[in-house]
């Protein structure tokens, strides 16, 4: 059932929802949350389709907020709200309201959304594209317990991760983090099968895929070992290699669907590790409404602390103050090492530094004996 409302108000939309429920014979509201999708016309269809598929697991009232761009100065001064109410089979297992905002009302979307929220129910706001730099301070984000963004949709995903870390507020999450849940589960299960100490890790994947950086930061944060980020042609994440004192542990997925888990002393195992669609990702995020402390810890670890395959920083990374204030002798040693190894291909803003493994190999033996043994943290 669809009800179109032109030049309407939030009060009239609420009345249309009540009348529509009575018309289809379901006067009771059996939804568990309100999902607010903030998007544009180009991405509205895909986002709404994913939300409708996820509603079969989480019946919800979905509010799609589309801020229309006026073509002329005269149109920008005229505020208007158009709404499309969908119920029954046209709205999955919940209710859907598509709100198109014109003129000045587009700058006050929270005033339109607030009367349409389900009473005494959690609110989740999702930005499929063009997410604000600080979702918690956004007028719509301030209404929600959970704020979902997707750094993969940004033009500079790696820099976007740094901005997300600076502005993180409990309740923020990222679909790029949700995409690596099967990888984190599989790697944690692999480490539970051995009693070895992890010495170093390498994460291999596409260049502009923030999920690769998030997985590398999670491993570095949880295992407290050097993690190297290397590039591949994809799709997405392709491999994780962990060097342990019992031999390598490798999780390799070359085709984007079927992975191979290799553990020293055990037969190789085929693991289903397919790339999931957006509906599955949103459904997973709606299962938990409490802050994700593991995501926060991995995000704050920092992309700049990862080493890359060529020994340089990620693109756009800033040099920490500790490196800027380094001793002249250390800087000279680094330059000599760089000259000895030959030219290094750098990205924009990259800074050539030796990797932690190279530094450990060149350190004196006396210094190596004084270092504390590498600890193995439980991967959760």
């Amino acid at each position: 059932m669809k009800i179109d409302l032109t030049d309407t108000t939030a009060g009239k939309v609420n009345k249309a929802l009540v009348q529509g429920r009575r018309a289809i014979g379901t006067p009771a509201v059996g939804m568990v949350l309100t999902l607010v999708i903030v998007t544009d016309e180009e991405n509205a269809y895909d986002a709404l389709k994913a939300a409708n598929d996820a509603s079969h697991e989480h019946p919800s009232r979905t509010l799609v907020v589309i801020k229309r761009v006026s073509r002329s100065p005269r149109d920008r001064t005229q505020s208007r709200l158009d709404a499309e109410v969908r119920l029954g089979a046209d709205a999955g297992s919940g209710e859907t309201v598509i709100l198109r905002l014109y003129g000045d009302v587009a700058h006050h979307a929270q005033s339109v959304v607030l009367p349409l929220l389900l009473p005494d129910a959690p609110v989740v706001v999702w930005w499929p594209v063009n997410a604000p730099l600080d979702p918690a301070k956004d007028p719509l984000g301030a209404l929600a317990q959970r704020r979902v963004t997707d750094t993969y949709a940004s033009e500079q995903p790696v820099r976007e991760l740094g901005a997300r870390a600076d502005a993180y507020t409990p309740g923020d999450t990222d679909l790029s983090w949700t995409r690596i849940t099967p990888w984190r589960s599989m790697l944690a299960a692999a480490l539970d099968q051995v009693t070895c100490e992890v010495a170093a890790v390498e994460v291999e994947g596409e260049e502009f895929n923030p999920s690769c950086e998030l997985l590398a930061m999670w491993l570095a944060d949880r295992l407290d070992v050097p993690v190297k980020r290397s590039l591949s042609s994809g799709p997405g994440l392709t491999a994780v290699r962990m060097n342990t004192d019992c031999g390598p542990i490798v999780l390799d997925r070359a085709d984007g669907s079927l992975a191979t888990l290799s553990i020293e002393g055990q037969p190789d195992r085929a693991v289903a590790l397919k790339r999931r669609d957006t509906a599955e990702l949103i459904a997973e995020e709606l299962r938990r409404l409490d802050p994700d402390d593991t995501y926060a810890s991995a995000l704050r670890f920092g992309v700049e602390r990862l080493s890359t395959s060529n020994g340089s920083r990620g693109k756009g990374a800033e040099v920490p103050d500790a490196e800027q204030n380094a001793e002249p002798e250390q800087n000279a040693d680094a330059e000599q090492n760089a000259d000895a190894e030959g030219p290094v291909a750098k990205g924009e803003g990259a800074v050539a530094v030796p990797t932690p493994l190279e530094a450990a190999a060149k350190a004196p033996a006396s210094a190596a004996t004084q270092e504390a043994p590498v600890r193995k943290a439980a991967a959760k």
Side-chain angles (χ1 to χ4, degrees):
M1 179 179 184
K2 296 183 180 180
I3 303 174
D4 289 327
L5 301 173
T6 304
D7 196 7
T8 185
T9 62
K12 293 179 181 179
V13 174
N14 257 326
K15 291 180 180 179
L17 285 169
V18 175
Q19 293 173 358
R21 286 197 300 269
R22 291 175 178 173
I24 63 177
T26 57
V29 179
M31 289 157 286
V32 297
L33 58 88
T34 302
L35 175 62
V36 181
I37 305 175
V38 186
T39 184
D40 52 20
E41 287 286 1
E42 180 182 358
N43 298 277
Y45 175 81
D46 292 335
L48 185 55
K49 184 178 183 302
N52 286 342
D53 292 342
S55 69
H56 294 289
E57 182 177 343
H58 308 278
S60 59
R61 173 177 291 179
T62 303
L63 306 178
V64 184
V65 179
I66 302 175
K67 300 179 181 180
R68 297 297 299 269
V69 178
S70 301
R71 297 183 178 180
S72 65
R74 181 183 301 174
D75 293 337
R76 296 190 189 101
T77 61
Q78 299 176 356
S79 298
R80 190 175 91 241
L81 170 64
D82 293 344
E84 180 182 339
V85 179
R86 300 181 182 180
L87 301 101
D90 295 319
S93 297
E95 299 174 345
T96 299
V97 180
I98 302 175
L99 303 169
R100 291 182 170 87
L101 284 62
Y102 300 81
D104 290 339
V105 72
H107 302 293
H108 304 281
Q110 71 280 6
S111 300
V112 178
V113 170
L114 187 59
L116 300 177
L117 301 178
L118 290 173
D120 302 324
V123 179
V124 178
V125 178
W126 172 32
W127 291 270
V129 293
N130 302 325
L133 292 178
D134 192 345
K137 292 185 179 179
D138 183 84
L140 285 173
L143 302 174
Q145 284 76 36
R146 291 279 282 178
R147 295 163 292 276
V148 184
T149 59
D150 191 356
T151 53
Y152 187 79
S154 62
E155 294 184 0
Q156 297 179 327
V158 177
R159 289 190 178 183
E160 192 79 7
L161 288 176
R164 292 280 172 261
D166 294 337
Y168 176 80
T169 302
D172 293 352
T173 190
D174 191 339
L175 291 186
S176 296
W177 169 258
T178 315
R179 290 184 180 96
I180 63 174
T181 299
W183 284 82
R184 294 191 294 120
S185 301
M186 192 59 59
L187 292 172
L191 289 177
D192 285 341
Q193 300 177 34
V194 297
T195 57
C196 306
E197 297 291 333
V198 180
V201 180
E202 179 183 0
V203 176
E204 181 184 270
E206 291 177 332
E207 181 176 4
F208 299 106
N209 192 319
S211 295
C212 302
E213 269 72 24
L214 282 170
L215 182 61
M217 290 189 290
W218 173 72
L219 288 167
D221 179 56
R222 303 301 294 177
L223 297 177
D224 193 21
V225 297
V227 177
K228 182 172 69 173
R229 170 74 167 91
S230 58
L231 304 181
S232 70
S233 58
L237 272 162
T238 53
V240 174
R241 303 177 181 88
M242 296 186 288
N243 296 327
T244 73
D245 54 6
C246 300
I249 298 176
V250 180
L251 183 60
D252 190 356
R253 186 191 68 177
D255 60 356
S257 59
L258 188 65
T260 301
L261 177 63
S262 303
I263 301 177
E264 188 73 16
Q266 300 182 18
D268 293 348
R269 281 164 282 184
V271 179
L273 206 63
K274 71 180 184 69
R275 306 186 73 188
R276 299 182 294 169
D277 57 22
T278 307
E280 293 182 69
L281 302 177
I282 286 295
E284 178 182 330
E285 283 301 331
L286 296 181
R287 292 186 196 120
R288 57 174 302 169
L289 299 176
D290 56 321
D292 192 341
D293 296 332
T294 306
Y295 165 69
S297 181
L299 186 65
R300 288 169 175 163
F301 181 85
V303 180
E304 68 279 356
R305 296 175 63 183
L306 300 175
S307 60
T308 60
S309 57
N310 58 7
S312 63
R313 300 281 187 181
K315 293 183 178 181
E318 297 181 356
V319 182
D321 294 339
E323 294 184 3
Q324 294 177 353
N325 299 329
E327 294 295 334
E329 292 80 7
Q330 297 176 353
N331 294 336
D333 293 341
E335 293 178 0
Q336 292 176 1
N337 294 336
D339 294 338
E341 295 172 1
V344 178
K346 300 179 182 179
E348 181 182 354
V351 180
V353 295
T355 64
L357 292 179
E358 293 170 351
K362 297 175 182 178
S366 59
T369 57
Q370 294 175 1
E371 293 182 356
V374 178
R375 65 178 179 87
K376 171 185 172 184
K380 297 182 180 179

